[in-house]
Amino acid sequence: MKYLLLAENDVQKAFSEHLRKLRQQAKLSRLELAERSTVPAATIKKFELTGQISFRQLLLLWQTLDDLKRLYGLTQQQAQSLTAPQSIEEVLRDGL
């Protein structure tokens, strides 16, 4: 079993890159996305560059560009039976 250590900014950046890619695929400018989502264009720009945004605004963008049910579904999945390592030996053994 391998463990993946993520920092919060890794996840923020992944979300911003995913939504920027979807925006570009939809051939929407930031201004057009702002009009559809009610999230200001300046906030969208900041999000795409830094990954920082409020949770409410993230949901508005996700709802506009992707299926909000998909994101919600992540909260409904059963927790996997992964347990955190109890020692450094377990981390090293599992090939971090």
Side-chain angles (χ1 to χ4, degrees), residues 18-74:
H18 173 72
L19 291 179
R20 180 177 39 82
K21 181 179 165 187
L22 291 178
R23 176 181 66 77
Q24 291 171 339
Q25 287 174 352
K27 297 184 181 355
L28 293 173
S29 68
R30 289 179 180 143
L31 185 57
E32 291 167 325
L33 178 57
E35 291 170 356
R36 290 184 185 193
S37 67
T38 71
V39 175
T43 301
I44 294 170
K45 179 179 180 180
K46 179 182 175 186
F47 174 57
E48 289 183 352
L49 296 174
T50 68
Q52 295 181 4
I53 195 166
S54 76
F55 187 67
R56 179 182 171 279
Q57 290 173 322
L58 173 69
L59 293 177
L60 289 169
L61 292 177
W62 195 284
Q63 183 175 19
T64 304
L65 294 169
D66 202 323
D67 185 357
L68 199 55
K69 291 178 194 170
R70 222 165 55 86
L71 190 60
Y72 178 72
L74 296 175

Side-chain angles (χ1 to χ4, degrees), residues 80-93:
Q80 295 181 356
S81 62
L82 299 178
T83 57
Q86 301 300 309
S87 68
I88 190 68
E89 289 80 18
E90 287 181 22
V91 171
L92 294 173
R93 182 193 67 225

